[in-house]
Amino acid sequence: APPRVISRHDSGDGTVKWLFASGSGQAVETVFIPEPGRGTLCISSQVGCALDCAFCATGAQGFNRNLSSAEIIGQVWHAIQELPRRDNGDAAVTNVVFMGMGEPLLNFPPLIGALGALLDPDRLGMGARRITVSTVGVPDRIRELGAEFPQVKLALSLHAPDERLRNEIIPLNRRFQLRDVLD
């Protein structure tokens, strides 16, 4: 079933933000960002986030649950169906970034399922280099992701040049030190 839209906000610059119902009175956010030559869809992987990073508003609401692969893909499917096509007839969504709510590497099996659906030519058929997974750093999962989908891009949110400051900004750094993440 397609995700249930709670709200849609269209900005003057063409950015579109949807809020999708995710049960228990919770919601996830998906944002489409148009640019010349491409359209990037920022999608969520969790309802809330347990990491409570200082730079992220999502962490302040706490963690509710992981999204399923179908719920993750539903965000992409909805945007592709709802947004007007490009002048050349292609879908408005050309790129997908896992940079919405949640830490995607802490919802790994559904992330892998969603990536498989995005890349499958019989499903959404996107190119691997048009997909980015953003993380604050979960070393073992970074390695697994690279082994499973080597051409999918990885965005690492460092936010600090040293362990001390990163420990303050990103609490997960106390478990996965910067040196281990960079390794």
Side-chain angles (χ1 to χ4, degrees), residues 31-180:
V31 179
F32 175 72
I33 306 162
E35 297 176 79
R38 72 175 172 195
T40 302
L41 190 68
C42 182
I43 63 174
S44 297
S45 58
Q46 297 178 317
V47 182
C49 186
L51 299 185
D52 198 24
C53 298
F55 54 84
C56 182
T58 302
Q61 79 180 51
F63 176 75
N64 185 275
R65 68 177 180 86
N66 288 321
L67 293 177
S68 68
S69 294
E71 289 172 308
I72 294 169
I73 289 300
Q75 297 168 72
V76 180
W77 180 89
H78 180 84
I80 289 172
Q81 298 302 311
E82 190 167 299
L83 294 169
R85 298 189 80 72
R86 299 180 151 302
D87 291 340
N88 65 3
D90 290 346
V93 176
T94 62
N95 296 59
V96 172
V97 180
F98 286 80
M99 199 180 282
M101 297 173 76
E103 166 56 60
L105 296 183
L106 294 181
N107 186 18
F108 200 70
L111 169 67
I112 294 300
L115 288 170
L118 286 168
L119 295 167
D120 185 337
D122 293 328
R123 292 162 92 189
L124 291 171
M126 295 190 74
R129 292 187 176 141
R130 294 190 173 271
I131 301 169
T132 302
V133 176
S134 180
T135 181
V136 295
V138 183
D140 291 343
R141 294 300 193 198
I142 291 172
R143 288 183 189 93
E144 289 179 63
L145 178 65
E148 185 81 23
F149 296 106
Q151 292 186 319
V152 166
K153 293 178 183 178
L154 182 75
L156 180 60
S157 297
L158 290 175
H159 291 282
D162 61 62
E163 299 288 3
R164 182 196 59 74
L165 183 55
R166 197 163 192 269
N167 283 341
E168 290 175 29
I169 296 171
I170 301 171
L172 186 67
N173 195 67
R174 294 181 195 113
R175 181 171 169 202
F176 301 118
Q177 295 286 296
L178 182 57
R179 64 181 171 271
D180 300 326

